[in-house]
Amino acid sequence: MKWDEFFVTGEPLIYGAMVSIVLVSLAILFGLTYYKKWGYLWREWLTTVDHKKIGVMYIICALIMLFRGGVDAIMMRAQTAAPDMKFLDGQHYNEVFTTHGVIMILFMAMPFIFGLMNVVVPLQIGARDVAFPKLNAISFWLFFAGAMLFNISFVIGGSPDAGWTAYFPLASIEFSPTVGNNYYSLALQISGIGTLLTGVNFIVTILKMRAKGMTLMRMPMFTWSVLITCVIIIFAFPVLTIALLLMMFDRIFGSQFFTMANGGMDMLWANLFWVWGHPEVYIVILPAFGIFSEIISAFSRKNLYGYSSMVASMVVISGLSFLVWAHHFYTMGQGAMVNGFFSITTMAIAVPTGVKIFNWLFTLHKGRISFTTPMLYSLAFIPIFTIGGVTGVMLAMASADYQYHNTMFLVAHFHYVLIPGAVFAVIAGFHYWFPKVFGFRLNEKLGKTAFWFIAISFNVTFFPLFFLGLMGMTRRTYTYSAETGFGPLNMLSMVGAIGLAIGFILLVYNIYWSTRYQPRDKTGDPWDARSLEWSTPSPVPVYNFAVAPEVKGRDAFWFSKKNNEPLSNEKITKIHMPSNTGKPFILGIAFFFLGFFLVFSWWIPSIIAGIAVLIILATMSFDRDHGYYIPVEEIVQTEQKLRGDTV
Amino acid sequence: MLKQLFPIKHVAGYISSLVLSAVALVVLLDIPAGSKMAILLVTAVLQAAVQLMLFMHVGESEDKKSVYINIAYALFVALVTILGTLFIFVWGWYS
Amino acid sequence: MKIDASQPLEYGTEENRNRIFGFWLFLGAEIALFATLFTVYFVLADRHASGPSGAEIFEITPVLLETFVLLTSSFTIGLAVHAMRLGLKKQMMIFMIITLLLGAGFLGIEIFEFFTYVHEGVTLSTSAFASSLFTLLGTHGAHVTFGLLWGTAILIQLKKYGLDHSTANKSFIFSLYWHFLDVVWIFIFSFVYLKGLM
């Protein structure tokens, strides 16, 4: 292989990206050395097994990926803003929409949700950590390795270019001869293993580590949503694992699964992809429902309306999510019976989802609503998501779908579902739980300004796409002529995209501004909220709860505040905590190199990296470190420092 | 000592799994085609049950309810994936 | 660490109980994983293009031998756990060693079988049928291979640290894994080989 094949060449934009990557990396290395932060980074972050810090790392990665995916989005909108644009060529456009989709779903939405659930779930159930803290660190570093592997593809070897769905035969070695789709299969595989382990970890955590008295039906709704999500994860992700494995075999080892000759069946890829892909939609959206439930209840000063029906609807959704996947390919050639069946199951999902919408509305009903930033996102979510849901039911009708299929109407629909559903939720959750982790709130004025930019611009960007789709504009079109009449609406959409970009920049600026100027919160409960995480001081000490709380009902912290009853009468005793370990980080590095070498089919290095993975796993197995104890005096001191004189 | 090391439950499980494997072999004989799949299904499911109940002690832990739900859910997803895919590509294919 | 003496060693601590429960969940994921491979195999089984079909290449003798060896190894790992609960460390280790040897024997026959197929001109890239067959069998075989490495690591730990909460817990979880591989094999035996031959 020649060097000009190894690095991507010939594109001024990519040269610019390379230069900036090198400069930023050098700046980070220089900064760490100059301020002598290497030891801090290693001790406090790279080796941590603390669920809160792992959560923070997930969220930082997610925010960076939001900007990577956002730049892709702006480039796409710019290229289609006017007829016959020459900003990107067809190949570059293909790469941009592929990476936009993959990054936004798998490396932005998922880690953002994982970050929030890492920070919040153990606190909500009154636990000191997750069930398997080391495994949690492994999950994070595998995700990180996968994300990095995916991102270097655009400077080394070339990005995947067959869409985030990577349909065969387009994604085969014959039609996509660059290593781009090798990156796709391996990066997603590595981060997928991490996701699966997270799923197992959180189910055990939620089912086995709840505080005394917290029965399943007393859990906060976010914890419930995470539990259901993790159930979907552990049964859906293995399907992706296999699909990606077969893709890798087809591309690297010449197997015939999805080929056009020798009995291969390209449509089988689409089938497997969506057997995983549809439950994946719910993996992203159910925790969002949980976040909104928490926020709407907290800022209406009411308990959540219809708690049991909320739980039941999520259980039903988790089952139905495995029964609808063929609605993604109604036009593929299966008979009317098949399409009819999947049409009905798809429409059935609207029922439990509708139940949830009504529950939120009834929670708001007669509540004392305070319009904070997280609440604004939650309130905006309800109508916008409903538009997404209704257009979803339109798409669910198989016969009508023959008209909408693969048009911009579909693009508009899923952005109307995923942006209010997932993005608004994680941003709302980010504002809501930020003071818990860092000890101060984000500035409300900046937060609200960003909200209005995002909420309005979102509609300006995506509402025109419904009409463009109905006019016949297909998705993934990189250019069109003036005669089509697509120009004006696309230009409008571009204007909206710029507004969205400004909104997100304001959001990050708010983090910077608030870090410098916001007053510190000493109460630990700045929103006057309801669940156990707010009973701890902020920032939360490493052991979470000085004494394990005891729960007597739903919204336990709220009633302990109202009735002036402490959450526990026990005395402080020494606390057992897991020790930090650098092995998950090293395992992530080994997996990164294993993936990288396989992408280029460099066999000897691949085998060496594979053996390294096994050796690291073996050393972990031989580890006999059972953690350490925090003595009582230290706990008392920490609590006094964080809470002032209140204890 | 022998009796202690080879408990009757395990020996019975082992023998029954060998017998069930042998029974499955009748599908290679000249019997009605319709009954063959039924025999394979029954013997395989029984064998899986033998492993689960007698060897894996599925019902012994305090979380047995969750474990049963987990296995049931896994089988649900497994069946839906297998049968649904065959429904799409074989039984329900447009022709 | 709270120790509960009323339970067997492998369940004795909270962490141990969490690990066993977590591993059951992982096995649930493994069921979905193998179900996907079976899906692929069932869809592609008749699509052998110009290459041979299953009926033409399957031979019952090595398959029966593999089945017998794996069923026996599942029996012996069960006995190992039984001996462990009686506190008989030496007998337990002997049963585990027998299990691993049988596992290695199984793997040997499978590798021999693969060589025979390749010799007959059937490789991963011959047809969609061949690809799905090799991948299904290979994934199971890779699990067995990993099991051999894992089991060996546990044996070394048993030797080094003796039978305690940690090693008992690991051995028990390994036994769950091994039984599960046996269950998967039963389905391969029935729905790949016997169905292909009938």
Side-chain angles (χ1 to χ4, degrees):
Chain A
M1 183 182 275
K2 292 192 214 84
W3 282 111
D4 62 332
E5 287 172 17
F6 186 69
F7 288 111
V8 178
T9 50
E11 279 264 1
L13 281 171
I14 297 213
Y15 287 133
M18 282 180 185
V19 171
S20 56
I21 288 175
V22 171
L23 286 179
V24 169
S25 312
L26 284 176
I28 292 172
L29 293 181
F30 178 77
L32 284 171
T33 314
Y34 187 79
Y35 292 104
K36 300 198 173 64
K37 289 289 183 192
W38 282 106
Y40 166 79
L41 184 71
W42 176 259
R43 278 191 314 274
E44 297 293 324
W45 296 96
L46 303 185
T47 61
T48 189
V49 292
D50 182 341
H51 68 98
K52 301 172 288 290
K53 284 187 175 160
I54 289 175
V56 169
M57 290 195 289
Y58 268 119
I59 292 173
I60 292 172
C61 291
L63 281 172
I64 294 170
M65 290 296 118
L66 177 68
F67 276 82
R68 161 81 215 268
V71 169
D72 286 343
I74 293 277
M75 285 162 74
M76 271 189 280
R77 282 287 108 217
Q79 166 61 25
T80 50
D84 296 315
M85 280 288 273
K86 298 274 184 295
F87 176 51
L88 301 174
D89 59 26
Q91 172 62 23
H92 199 172
Y93 189 81
N94 291 349
E95 294 179 9
V96 167
F97 72 64
T98 303
T99 51
H100 169 75
V102 175
I103 286 179
M104 285 304 201
I105 297 272
L106 288 149
F107 299 125
M108 190 285 285
M110 298 256 311
F112 215 133
I113 285 163
F114 281 11
L116 290 174
M117 75 196 216
N118 260 290
V119 170
V120 176
V121 166
L123 293 171
Q124 278 198 334
I125 62 173
R128 294 239 154 82
D129 207 321
V130 294
F132 311 113
K134 277 180 204 164
L135 192 70
N136 201 21
I138 293 176
S139 287
F140 172 75
W141 290 112
L142 289 186
F143 149 74
F144 188 76
M148 289 301 109
L149 190 60
F150 192 83
N151 273 282
I152 58 160
S153 70
F154 88 110
V155 286
I156 299 178
S159 292
D161 53 2
W164 89 281
T165 49
Y167 275 5
F168 279 78
L170 179 59
S172 68
I173 194 83
E174 189 184 351
F175 296 106
S176 297
T178 71
V179 293
N181 276 289
N182 296 355
Y183 272 114
Y184 177 97
S185 66
L186 284 151
L188 267 57
Q189 189 72 280
I190 292 170
S191 67
I193 299 168
T195 306
L196 180 67
L197 298 176
T198 300
V200 171
N201 207 341
F202 275 79
I203 296 180
V204 180
T205 305
I206 295 171
L207 289 183
K208 302 276 291 176
M209 305 195 50
R210 295 192 307 278
K212 202 171 159 198
M214 185 178 277
T215 58
L216 284 177
M217 290 308 268
R218 286 176 182 173
M219 293 195 307
M221 196 46 64
F222 179 61
T223 301
W224 253 116
S225 70
V226 169
L227 175 64
I228 305 286
T229 303
C230 290
V231 171
I232 303 179
I233 285 176
I234 64 169
F235 298 120
F237 265 79
V239 181
L240 179 71
T241 303
I242 292 302
L244 292 171
L245 184 80
L246 305 188
M247 178 191 224
M248 185 182 91
F249 280 5
D250 260 19
R251 291 186 54 89
I252 299 181
F253 300 110
S255 63
Q256 306 284 339
F257 292 104
F258 311 125
T259 52
M260 301 298 282
N262 300 318
M265 195 172 187
D266 50 342
M267 292 175 291
L268 188 59
W269 164 267
N271 182 71
L272 293 180
F273 183 86
W274 288 112
V275 170
W276 160 77
H278 201 84
E280 163 71 11
V281 174
Y282 288 93
I283 292 169
V284 179
I285 219 120
L286 284 182
F289 288 172
I291 294 169
F292 288 133
S293 301
E294 299 286 332
I295 291 173
I296 289 176
S297 159
F299 294 113
S300 305
R301 299 278 172 269
K302 279 177 70 190
N303 60 337
L304 187 65
Y305 183 89
Y307 180 97
S308 322
S309 65
M310 279 296 206
V311 173
S313 63
M314 282 198 291
V315 173
V316 172
I317 287 176
S318 86
L320 281 176
S321 72
F322 285 97
L323 292 170
V324 298
W325 76 91
H327 70 213
H328 293 273
F329 46 81
Y330 280 140
T331 58
M332 208 167 68
Q334 64 274 26
M337 186 67 181
V338 176
N339 281 355
F341 175 84
F342 284 99
S343 221
I344 291 167
T345 52
T346 305
M347 288 182 207
I349 282 205
V351 178
T353 317
V355 168
K356 302 184 87 65
I357 299 272
F358 282 111
N359 281 336
W360 289 315
L361 293 177
F362 281 120
T363 308
L364 291 165
H365 182 63
K366 289 190 176 169
R368 280 187 290 125
I369 298 172
S370 40
F371 291 94
T372 58
T373 309
M375 188 62 167
L376 283 177
Y377 281 104
S378 311
L379 293 174
F381 149 80
I382 296 175
I384 300 178
F385 184 79
T386 306
I387 298 176
V390 170
T391 51
V393 177
M394 287 168 73
L395 285 158
M397 291 181 276
S399 39
D401 181 69
Y402 272 69
Q403 285 299 316
Y404 315 130
H405 188 82
N406 268 0
T407 65
M408 292 308 258
F409 187 87
L410 169 82
V411 176
H413 154 70
F414 68 69
H415 283 90
Y416 260 81
V417 177
L418 285 171
I419 291 186
V423 180
F424 281 19
V426 292
I427 298 175
F430 180 75
H431 282 84
Y432 182 58
W433 282 301
F434 190 89
K436 189 79 275 180
V437 178
F438 295 101
F440 56 93
R441 277 190 275 188
L442 292 170
N443 180 272
E444 279 289 299
K445 204 173 155 202
L446 275 170
K448 284 176 186 171
T449 316
F451 162 77
W452 286 111
F453 261 102
I454 289 172
I456 294 171
S457 309
F458 163 76
N459 285 289
V460 176
T461 311
F462 292 102
F463 210 77
L465 302 191
F466 282 122
F467 297 105
L468 283 170
L470 296 177
M471 285 161 72
M473 185 175 178
T474 51
R475 74 194 287 202
R476 296 171 178 170
T477 314
Y478 90 100
T479 191
Y480 52 89
S481 63
E483 291 81 62
T484 56
F486 297 157
L489 285 173
N490 272 307
M491 184 53 88
L492 182 60
S493 177
M494 175 71 202
V495 173
I498 292 169
L500 270 174
I502 294 171
F504 285 115
I505 290 167
L506 276 174
L507 195 149
V508 171
Y509 175 71
N510 192 4
I511 301 173
Y512 163 77
W513 192 91
S514 304
T515 310
R516 294 199 65 170
Y517 304 115
Q518 275 292 99
R520 307 293 117 163
D521 161 53
K522 279 281 170 194
T523 61
D525 180 26
W527 308 110
D528 193 13
R530 312 177 76 83
S531 41
L532 286 181
E533 72 267 33
W534 303 105
S535 71
T536 60
S538 312
V540 188
V542 62
Y543 49 81
N544 293 355
F545 297 91
V547 282
E550 199 180 329
V551 173
K552 296 193 188 74
R554 281 175 208 157
D555 295 332
F557 179 55
W558 178 261
F559 289 105
S560 108
K561 279 189 293 187
K562 296 300 126 180
N563 305 337
N564 235 334
E565 282 173 9
L567 280 163
S568 172
N569 295 318
E570 305 279 314
K571 276 216 297 282
I572 295 178
T573 51
K574 62 179 181 172
I575 293 172
H576 179 249
M577 295 303 293
S579 324
N580 283 2
T581 164
K583 283 172 187 166
F585 175 67
I586 298 167
L587 186 69
I589 294 178
F591 260 103
F592 173 86
F593 281 106
L594 175 61
F596 184 76
F597 295 142
L598 279 173
V599 163
F600 289 95
S601 308
W602 294 342
W603 303 122
I604 305 288
S606 302
I607 292 168
I608 294 171
I611 292 172
V613 166
L614 287 176
I615 290 173
I616 298 163
L617 289 177
T619 60
M620 287 177 134
S621 173
F622 278 84
D623 234 342
R624 289 181 74 81
D625 180 355
H626 290 296
Y628 66 99
Y629 283 95
I630 306 179
V632 177
E633 308 83 73
E634 197 184 322
I635 301 166
V636 174
Q637 274 173 13
T638 315
E639 291 287 308
Q640 264 166 0
K641 203 175 109 208
L642 288 168
R643 288 188 195 263
D645 295 326
T646 52
V647 177
Chain B
M1 190 66 180
L2 260 182
K3 213 169 177 178
Q4 203 188 5
L5 283 179
F6 295 88
I8 187 75
K9 207 171 89 173
H10 283 77
V11 178
Y14 177 53
I15 291 170
S16 57
S17 61
L18 288 179
V19 169
L20 283 166
S21 304
V23 169
L25 289 175
V26 301
V27 300
L28 302 182
L29 304 175
D30 193 15
I31 58 167
S35 58
K36 287 182 176 179
M37 272 309 271
I39 292 173
L40 285 182
L41 269 174
V42 171
T43 51
V45 169
L46 282 179
Q47 283 231 48
V50 165
Q51 295 281 335
L52 271 174
M53 306 295 170
L54 296 182
F55 293 165
M56 294 167 90
H57 312 289
V58 61
E60 74 179 4
S61 79
E62 61 190 20
D63 308 302
K64 67 176 169 199
K65 222 168 103 188
S66 306
V67 172
Y68 283 130
I69 294 174
N70 171 52
I71 294 172
Y73 207 125
L75 292 178
F76 161 73
V77 172
L79 284 175
V80 163
T81 309
I82 293 172
L83 299 179
T85 303
L86 290 174
F87 179 43
I88 292 167
F89 288 121
V90 183
W91 306 319
W93 193 250
Y94 177 78
S95 54
Chain C
M1 212 180 333
K2 274 197 279 299
I3 290 170
D4 184 351
S6 68
Q7 304 236 31
L9 215 47
E10 68 272 21
Y11 284 98
T13 66
E14 189 191 340
E15 196 186 343
N16 277 2
R17 291 192 289 278
N18 286 353
R19 281 168 191 270
I20 291 171
F21 179 48
F23 198 78
W24 274 107
L25 296 175
F26 177 74
L27 288 184
E30 288 271 50
I31 291 176
L33 184 124
F34 278 102
T36 312
L37 283 170
F38 274 106
T39 306
V40 172
Y41 178 79
F42 290 150
V43 171
L44 301 177
D46 295 329
R47 300 170 75 101
H48 48 83
S50 54
S53 69
E56 287 163 27
I57 56 168
F58 293 158
E59 280 175 56
I60 192 71
T61 323
V63 173
L64 283 177
L65 203 58
E66 280 170 295
T67 309
F68 178 72
V69 168
L70 210 58
L71 282 176
T72 311
S73 79
S74 186
F75 176 53
T76 53
I77 194 71
L79 294 177
V81 168
H82 182 77
M84 178 177 88
R85 289 190 173 173
L86 297 172
L88 304 168
K89 186 183 134 196
K90 198 179 132 211
Q91 285 83 344
M92 172 203 173
M93 288 180 69
I94 291 170
F95 279 129
M96 263 187 88
I97 291 167
I98 296 173
T99 306
L100 295 182
L101 289 176
L102 288 167
F106 169 86
L107 213 58
I109 307 171
E110 188 161 57
I111 290 169
F112 172 76
E113 190 192 332
F114 276 22
F115 270 110
T116 317
Y117 291 155
V118 173
H119 192 68
E120 289 165 358
V122 187
T123 65
L124 188 71
S125 47
T126 305
S127 66
F129 156 71
S131 300
S132 61
L133 178 73
F134 278 114
T135 308
L136 174 55
L137 297 179
T139 308
H140 179 263
H143 274 76
V144 174
T145 313
F146 183 77
L148 294 181
L149 295 174
W150 186 15
T152 312
I154 292 173
L155 270 174
I156 296 170
Q157 291 179 37
L158 277 168
K159 181 86 194 150
K160 207 166 148 187
Y161 308 121
L163 197 53
D164 59 13
H165 283 105
S166 168
T167 50
N169 185 248
K170 285 177 186 177
S171 310
F172 182 74
I173 287 172
F174 175 74
S175 84
L176 291 181
Y177 178 78
W178 199 263
H179 291 306
F180 175 77
L181 293 185
D182 193 54
V183 173
V184 174
W185 178 258
I186 293 302
F187 282 84
I188 292 177
F189 170 69
S190 304
F191 295 103
V192 174
Y193 291 112
L194 292 186
K195 188 170 168 291
L197 284 167
M198 77 188 191

